[in-house]
Amino acid sequence: MDPRLLPFGLCLLVLFHSGLAQIQPRRPQQQPRLSGRPECQIDRITAREPNHYVESEAGVSEYWIPDENDELECAGVQAVRHTINPKGLLLPYYPSTPELAYVVRGQGIQGTVFSGCPETFETPMPSEGGREEFLDRHQKVYRYKEGDVIALPAGSVHWTYNDGDTPIVTITLRDTSNVANQLDRTFRKFFLAGNPLNKQIQHGGRSQQGNGQSGRRQEQPRRGEEQERGRGGSRGGGRREEQGQEGSNIFSGFDDQILQEVFNVEYDTVRQLKGQNDNRGFIVRADNFQVITPEKQEQRSSRGSRRGGANGMEETICSAQLSANLANPSHADVYNPRGGRVSTLNSHKLPVLDLLQLSAERGILYKNAVLSPHYNLNAHSIIYVTSGSSRLQIVRNDGSAVFDDWVREGQLIVVPQNFAVVKKAGEEGCEWVAFKTNDNAITSQLAGRFSYVRALPEEVLMNSYEISREQAKSLKYNRQEGVVFSPRSTSPRESAKNTLLNVLFG
């Protein structure tokens, strides 16, 4: 090698490494998630129906508001199910906590406004002369469909519209213990339009209709209900009546003259902005709605072929992808043709989840199939059954079962961190979505090909369980499937024997 080229090579090497350092910045260390309560003793877990509802002009919202010291309170989460009718618009708002939504049914348009980002979308509007002009500029909007997971960052403005012919049903998790919620553990929704708090809240007097929740204990008003009171009340008998606060969107608290000055508009516009005479709730009917979205092919081409985690360059918060689909079978992470499939969505697949510190899982179990017993190492799991039913068993650290029952469509249940859980589908199978309170949630299997049993030496199994070597081999290798187990075929005689043993010994 020519010695004269050595200094030149060293310079190139230094420039390459410095450039690489700029291209791949270090990710900041993730802040720890706050706990829901300082102390929690969970003796019993319940599969829950919504316990509060609000009716609006073009839809209904149903809430899971936690009781004090229950598993929702301990996990530091709340949940809401929105049903948005055709031509329904969920009014713009910004939340105090991150939200992660799953589209159970329907399709529509979603908008999220990030502070400081440019208005890159233009909607053509007809002019008086008949020509089309780009008059309305706004931040990007995108379409979503059944099976999509939608990230809703805290503090950003969100709205959604149903431009289809069928109702949209979404289930949304609110992470009230997220570090973004700095004031306290209460969820707050700041509406920017309408008058969502204009009606009295009725605590009681509305009967249950076919949701199997009769006979539940009396309930007291729950923390956070005052944030979203409209025409409606609580579901579940025995609650006393209580008047909700009068209120409106945040502009109602500002002086009229100030609003006229900052917006440079007439007084009549300010009155409409405050929405004090608006009785529609916060899901309103919008017949005249003309917002265009790019075609799916254009959206795909603009996203490119990027994979992996946060990159720091080609994606900023202004251009971040905010949704991904979990319903497509080709996206399954686990698949057993005889048992079902499981698809996961974490921050490696959707980088914006790193900001939310949340992730999601969608599972399908066929008739009588079993999801391997497992536990979540670093997250709580909030499961919502979208179809069918399954029998769940949840066991805490002292070996006692805190839940052993069926969970059916429309019910929600919390599996706390490190609690062991096993799931077996019913005769009609089971489909669910699970929200995890970590952007990269990790599960550890307790049975099957990927379980701890496979990783232990036979000697450890023999001495731990006082079994023979042959029994240890059976325990270790009899189940060759990994995560989703196909139904075990048994003869009628063996089934009768198992039934008798269950009756005799529980």
Side-chain angles (χ1 to χ4, degrees):
M1 179 179 176
D2 190 344
R4 292 174 297 179
L5 296 178
L6 184 60
F8 179 72
L10 290 174
C11 290
L12 285 178
L13 187 62
V14 171
L15 288 173
F16 174 78
H17 280 287
S18 62
L20 191 63
Q22 295 179 29
I23 293 175
Q24 297 178 340
R26 291 184 60 189
R27 290 178 59 187
Q29 186 175 2
Q30 190 182 63
Q31 292 179 290
R33 184 175 181 273
L34 305 174
S35 61
R37 286 180 59 89
E39 294 183 7
C40 277
Q41 183 65 32
I42 298 178
D43 300 316
R44 183 174 61 89
I45 289 176
T46 306
R48 298 169 178 266
E49 300 276 351
N51 52 24
H52 180 71
Y53 73 97
V54 174
E55 293 179 0
S56 297
E57 179 186 51
V60 63
S61 302
E62 301 166 284
Y63 302 92
W64 285 263
I65 306 293
D67 292 312
E68 186 173 353
N69 203 38
D70 69 3
E71 58 270 19
L72 283 169
E73 175 87 1
C74 290
V77 296
Q78 296 181 16
V80 57
R81 180 172 63 207
H82 290 301
T83 301
I84 305 174
N85 296 330
K87 299 187 183 299
L89 171 67
L90 177 61
L91 293 176
Y93 73 94
Y94 60 91
S96 64
T97 73
E99 297 180 291
L100 196 60
Y102 177 79
V103 183
V104 180
R105 285 191 298 275
Q107 58 183 356
I109 300 174
Q110 174 71 26
T112 294
V113 177
F114 290 108
S115 178
C117 293
E119 296 82 26
T120 56
F121 277 39
E122 296 176 326
T123 300
M125 304 293 288
S127 65
E128 294 181 359
R131 297 180 297 106
E132 283 192 347
E133 297 180 354
F134 292 101
L135 298 181
D136 184 22
R137 294 179 174 85
H138 53 83
Q139 289 193 18
K140 69 176 184 177
V141 297
Y142 57 93
R143 290 194 169 274
Y144 60 83
K145 61 183 179 180
E146 182 175 325
D148 277 3
V149 174
I150 304 173
L152 305 172
S156 298
V157 176
H158 310 290
W159 59 268
T160 189
Y161 180 71
N162 184 353
D163 64 341
D165 300 323
T166 59
I168 294 171
V169 179
T170 63
I171 178 73
T172 302
L173 182 81
R174 298 163 167 178
D175 187 9
T176 57
S177 290
N178 193 283
V179 292
N181 193 25
Q182 296 185 16
L183 185 60
D184 54 27
R185 306 295 190 273
T186 300
F187 174 82
R188 292 177 172 84
K189 178 180 280 190
F190 298 83
F191 281 99
L192 296 168
N195 190 11
L197 313 183
N198 67 327
K199 294 292 182 180
Q200 293 182 355
I201 182 73
Q202 299 296 323
H203 295 286
R206 185 175 178 98
S207 61
Q208 288 291 335
Q209 296 182 358
N211 60 3
Q213 293 300 298
S214 59
R216 292 180 61 172
R217 63 184 175 83
Q218 293 187 355
E219 302 172 54
Q220 297 300 316
R222 290 168 173 79
R223 186 181 65 186
E225 284 184 354
E226 70 276 5
Q227 300 301 324
E228 295 180 87
R229 287 175 172 169
R231 291 196 301 262
S234 63
R235 289 186 173 176
R239 294 187 65 175
R240 61 183 177 85
E241 291 190 3
E242 180 176 299
Q243 290 189 349
Q245 286 183 321
E246 293 260 321
S248 183
N249 68 66
I250 62 171
F251 292 116
S252 66
F254 290 112
D255 181 77
D256 291 349
Q257 293 182 347
I258 288 292
L259 292 176
Q260 282 185 267
E261 181 177 351
V262 297
F263 285 105
N264 192 23
V265 294
E266 299 295 331
Y267 175 70
D268 288 344
T269 304
V270 169
R271 290 185 60 189
Q272 293 299 114
L273 187 69
K274 288 190 169 186
Q276 292 173 345
N277 297 319
D278 192 337
N279 297 316
R280 299 173 297 169
F282 52 84
I283 304 176
V284 304
R285 184 173 176 86
D287 292 307
N288 185 20
F289 197 90
Q290 301 178 16
V291 173
I292 62 171
T293 59
E295 296 298 325
K296 295 180 180 179
Q297 293 82 357
E298 295 178 1
Q299 290 184 5
R300 290 195 192 102
S301 63
S302 66
R303 291 170 184 168
S305 58
R306 173 183 46 79
R307 292 291 185 270
N311 47 57
M313 285 194 66
E314 65 266 26
E315 179 177 284
T316 66
I317 193 63
C318 296
S319 61
Q321 182 180 340
L322 298 178
S323 66
N325 191 268
L326 280 179
N328 193 331
S330 64
H331 296 166
D333 296 288
V334 175
Y335 176 61
N336 182 338
R338 298 175 301 278
R341 64 179 185 268
V342 178
S343 304
T344 58
L345 184 67
N346 55 31
S347 60
H348 293 297
K349 299 178 181 179
L350 189 64
V352 73
L353 294 180
D354 180 60
L355 175 66
L356 274 65
Q357 298 181 31
L358 296 170
S359 57
E361 168 191 281
R362 182 179 186 269
I364 296 178
L365 288 179
Y366 303 150
K367 174 182 176 180
N368 295 327
V370 178
L371 187 69
S372 169
H374 63 278
Y375 61 94
N376 294 278
L377 275 74
N378 56 353
H380 304 302
S381 179
I382 297 87
I383 300 171
Y384 176 80
V385 177
T386 59
S387 178
S389 62
S390 65
R391 182 187 176 188
L392 254 69
Q393 292 180 318
I394 304 174
V395 179
R396 66 181 186 183
N397 59 297
D398 63 358
S400 60
V402 292
F403 184 85
D404 184 1
D405 205 344
W406 289 87
V407 184
R408 294 173 172 82
E409 179 179 347
Q411 291 185 321
L412 180 140
I413 189 168
V414 177
V415 181
Q417 178 188 8
N418 291 321
F419 280 44
V421 57
V422 64
K423 179 183 302 183
K424 182 174 182 178
E427 291 294 318
E428 69 275 33
C430 182
E431 299 184 19
W432 75 92
V433 60
F435 300 102
K436 307 290 185 76
T437 57
N438 192 298
D439 63 295
N440 283 302
I442 302 172
T443 60
S444 182
Q445 309 301 319
L446 297 175
R449 185 157 49 93
F450 305 124
S451 70
Y452 85 101
V453 174
R454 280 291 187 97
L456 290 179
E458 292 179 7
E459 298 293 333
V460 174
L461 296 175
M462 292 166 58
N463 288 278
S464 296
Y465 301 118
E466 296 182 311
I467 56 178
S468 66
R469 185 174 299 278
E470 193 63 31
Q471 288 175 310
K473 288 182 181 293
S474 299
L475 185 67
K476 192 170 182 177
Y477 298 110
N478 274 9
R479 178 62 83 169
Q480 295 297 321
E481 295 162 312
V483 175
V484 176
F485 299 162
S486 57
R488 183 182 177 188
S489 58
T490 57
S491 65
R493 182 177 179 180
E494 187 175 356
S495 298
K497 176 183 175 182
N498 292 335
T499 302
L500 179 61
L501 289 175
N502 285 332
V503 171
L504 292 176
F505 302 106

